[in-house]
Amino acid sequence: MSAALIWTTKHFQKKMLFYLVLLSFPCARKGFFIYMREEIIKMIKRSGLIAITALLMTALLLAGCADGIGKDDIESAGPPDEVLTIIWQGKETEIAISEIMGLDIVEMEAVTIDSENNDSTRMVKGILLKDLLEQYLTVELSDIYSIRFTAGDGYAMEVPPEVIKERDIILAYEMYGEPLEEKKKPLRAVIPDERTMYWVGNLVKIDLIEDREIKEITGMVFIDSLVKVLETQDYDYHGSTDIAVLAADLLMEFREKQEQDFITMLSSDGIEKKEEKEIFKNGYFKITGDGAPAFIDPELLSGMWVKNIFTLFYGQTAYVSALQSIEMFENIKSDGKSGVYLNNIIEKTGLIQSDNYILRALDGYTIEISSENIGKGLIYIDEEQQLNVYFKDLEDSYLIKDLLSIENKK
């Protein structure tokens, strides 16, 4: 073998080893394939080493450099398996949808109720959430206070404890014998005999909430009077110009008493929704027009709004709508006044019992009423849109205008 050929072979071997090491990095393959091809051409012209050229080409193929993409690259180029993320006690667990679909199947007819109280029956197929939790997290539903479902588009809904205790929760991947429609994939939460708002589609995350400490309610604030001292603004609501206040301003007056990180809203038709405090504070509280009072936020999907709010609980305070109270409870007429007894509101909000209560008007005027008489107060809205409370059976027939709050006397 000539000295030139020996030198060329050794030189070639060194380069080949160097290049093969670099080719183990996929991001470098395409560029080095082009560079090595030029080297091959040079060496063919220099020494006619056809055998060595063939060997190099074979090595390149084995290194996965055909067109700059190796076998591993081809396999990873396909769509990754979608996952469901479950958060429990601060830890995230990702479970592949393909694994979920391999669990024990549940197939059944499930009834759902829409916002107009119309029900419909749907055939669903999926797995039970409790089976998934027991297998992957060794968690039982009895360990959980509430569940928050979150969709890929940001829609979120928290399922209250009473629903979790009474209903099965299904993670469905088929409906009516067909895969879910594209916008509902990969999973849809299904809770038979519950409202459609809990049937969260495009489900990507489940937060398991271990405890929501519900504090004793020690006071009520009447929204109808409170908003009179807040800055209002026009709000375009489906073509209607209504009045709204910032949700953060609604909570501001009593902020020093609260430490809770969530708000619970209860509508007059029984719908209960919990919302993170920071999300609530970024929205608006609509106080006139259709569905008032209502929590709305243009940054959230309309399905996350809450209309006809009777009360919202924040810490130890219940913010009450007298307007919705009059819609909810039996109306009583007394001395030309028509309204509802405070007893109904006290029971519904859970205001704790006290020997005496302090009633405060918007102008600061206060009176003290005993527990024996507090429930007899009749609240009503007069022609001037003032919220008043009237105690007919008391000696002085107390009448308080612009009733702002009721607190138990400490």
Side-chain angles (χ1 to χ4, degrees), residues 201-261:
N202 185 213
L203 184 63
V204 296
K205 185 174 71 170
I206 299 176
D207 288 273
L208 306 177
I209 300 167
E210 188 173 11
D211 183 34
R212 287 287 207 195
E213 182 185 355
I214 304 299
K215 299 181 178 180
E216 291 182 322
I217 300 302
T218 59
M220 295 190 299
V221 177
F222 288 93
I223 298 168
D224 316 72
S225 298
L226 177 61
V227 295
K228 291 185 177 182
V229 296
L230 301 180
E231 183 179 350
T232 62
Q233 56 187 282
D234 291 342
Y235 194 96
D236 183 9
Y237 184 76
H238 302 311
S240 173
T241 301
D242 296 333
I243 305 299
V245 298
L246 293 175
D249 289 349
L250 192 72
L251 305 180
M252 188 69 72
E253 182 73 15
F254 300 88
R255 67 189 184 282
E256 71 280 358
K257 300 179 182 179
Q258 319 300 347
E259 298 176 355
Q260 210 158 268
D261 61 356

Side-chain angles (χ1 to χ4, degrees), residues 333-337 340-342 359 373-380 387-394 396-401 403:
K333 291 186 177 181
S334 177
D335 294 341
K337 304 171 180 60
V340 298
Y341 284 128
L342 273 175
L359 281 68
N373 294 313
I374 187 67
K376 301 175 184 177
L378 185 76
I379 66 165
Y380 66 96
L387 171 63
N388 308 320
V389 60
Y390 173 65
F391 292 89
K392 176 182 178 180
D393 295 333
L394 296 188
D396 297 326
S397 297
Y398 285 130
L399 173 64
I400 302 177
K401 294 187 175 183
L403 177 65

Side-chain angles (χ1 to χ4, degrees), residues 104 106 108 110 124 126-133 141 144-149 157-172 188-194 198-200 203 206-208:
D104 291 341
V106 173
M108 63 180 294
V124 300
I127 61 106
L128 290 174
L129 175 61
K130 71 179 186 67
D131 291 345
L132 184 71
L133 298 182
L141 284 177
I144 297 166
Y145 175 78
S146 66
I147 297 171
R148 187 178 183 89
F149 294 128
M157 178 60 64
E158 186 167 326
V159 183
E162 57 271 20
V163 173
I164 296 173
K165 291 177 181 178
E166 296 175 5
R167 308 293 189 200
D168 285 329
I169 300 177
I170 302 164
L171 303 182
R188 185 174 187 182
V190 170
I191 307 180
D193 301 314
E194 290 296 335
Y198 293 127
W199 289 37
V200 178
L203 184 63
I206 299 176
D207 288 273
L208 306 177

Side-chain angles (χ1 to χ4, degrees), residues 222-225 228 287 292-293 320-327 331-332 336-340 345 378-390 399-403:
F222 288 93
I223 298 168
D224 316 72
S225 298
K228 291 185 177 182
I287 57 177
V320 177
S321 166
L323 180 66
Q324 287 298 321
S325 300
I326 292 171
E327 292 292 324
N331 276 227
I332 304 297
K337 304 171 180 60
S338 179
V340 298
I345 301 174
L378 185 76
I379 66 165
Y380 66 96
I381 298 176
D382 64 21
E383 294 178 354
E384 298 178 357
Q385 298 304 302
Q386 286 182 314
L387 171 63
N388 308 320
V389 60
Y390 173 65
L399 173 64
I400 302 177
K401 294 187 175 183
D402 276 332
L403 177 65

Side-chain angles (χ1 to χ4, degrees), residues 12 18 27 49-50 77 83 89 98 107 113-114 137 151-152 154 195 208 271 274 288 340 370 404 409:
F12 180 87
F18 174 69
C27 60
L49 298 177
I50 298 175
V83 298
Q89 296 180 333
S98 59
E107 195 165 3
I113 306 166
D114 64 20
L137 284 84
R195 293 186 178 273
L208 306 177
I271 293 176
K274 289 184 174 61
T288 65
V340 298
S370 70
L404 175 63
K409 184 178 180 182

